Amino acid sequence: MPGHTENEITVNAPVELVWEMTNDLPGWPQLFSEYASLEILEQKGDTTTFRLTMHPDENGKVWSWVSERTVDRKGLTVRARRVETGPFAHMDIHWQYFKVPGGTRMKWTQDFAMKPDAPVDDDWMTDNINRNSPIQMALIRDKIEQRERESHAPAVSRL
């Protein structure tokens, strides 16, 4: 059966800042701990095609793939899919942002299926995504909240 995950987190920052930081693709290697690099291959309107490369895994393997991502700033949503699917038969991602009291709720939904010859099955990948997404979301939340605090900190003058 295909995999499906939903993970969400609330960030104590305005939706504008959360949107800006999480949709700054060149900044992803500094935002996510798992990504080593991101190369933008093509930009057409609200759609970006890019290559994402991860840090080596515990076996030294470096995973890389091409994705296509379309942002809808007005609707506060992002849709993405892997173009180079690798071990996935398909991988579709939907990000949603919601203004909530005190900040922004960010929700990531992933629908996918592994190829029959993939090294792992749908259940394994579902568990893996559900373990990793909350870790990445917490790191992102902390970085955004730090930026938000810094933007309101009084300037320190030199004597």
Side-chain angles (χ1 to χ4, degrees):
M1 184 153 75
H4 174 84
T5 65
E6 291 183 14
N7 290 278
E8 61 183 61
I9 196 165
T10 299
V11 182
N12 185 19
V15 71
E16 293 79 10
L17 180 60
V18 176
W19 177 271
E20 173 193 324
M21 288 183 68
T22 59
N23 288 290
D24 171 23
L25 296 181
W28 276 15
Q30 290 76 45
L31 194 61
F32 290 82
S33 65
E34 59 193 350
Y35 300 146
S37 66
L38 186 144
E39 176 189 3
I40 294 180
L41 304 174
E42 183 177 43
Q43 176 83 44
K44 284 185 179 177
D46 292 332
T47 301
T48 304
T49 304
F50 59 97
R51 174 168 295 285
L52 197 54
T53 303
M54 296 183 77
H55 293 290
D57 66 16
E58 61 277 357
N59 299 315
K61 172 121 174 88
V62 174
W63 297 93
S64 182
W65 63 90
V66 173
S67 288
E68 180 182 87
R69 195 164 196 275
T70 302
V71 298
D72 174 1
R73 177 64 181 90
K74 187 175 179 180
L76 294 176
T77 62
V78 177
R79 295 233 178 238
R81 67 181 184 89
R82 283 195 181 196
V83 176
E84 289 180 2
T85 58
F88 292 91
H90 69 88
M91 167 60 90
D92 300 307
I93 302 170
H94 184 208
W95 284 12
Q96 296 171 281
Y97 301 80
F98 304 91
K99 292 181 184 181
V100 296
T104 305
R105 183 167 50 93
M106 184 171 60
K107 180 178 179 181
W108 296 350
T109 303
Q110 292 173 277
D111 290 296
F112 59 90
M114 304 307 295
K115 291 179 180 173
D117 62 347
V120 299
D121 63 14
D122 294 339
D123 289 338
W124 186 95
M125 187 55 71
T126 299
D127 290 343
N128 185 60
I129 291 170
N130 281 330
R131 269 191 313 275
N132 191 50
S133 289
I135 292 167
Q136 294 302 313
M137 291 177 116
L139 288 170
I140 291 166
R141 177 201 60 212
D142 293 350
K143 290 175 183 177
I144 294 170
E145 289 179 355
Q146 177 65 32
R147 171 92 51 92
E148 175 65 6
R149 283 190 299 276
E150 289 170 356
S151 73
H152 295 294
V156 177
S157 63
R158 294 182 180 232
L159 297 176

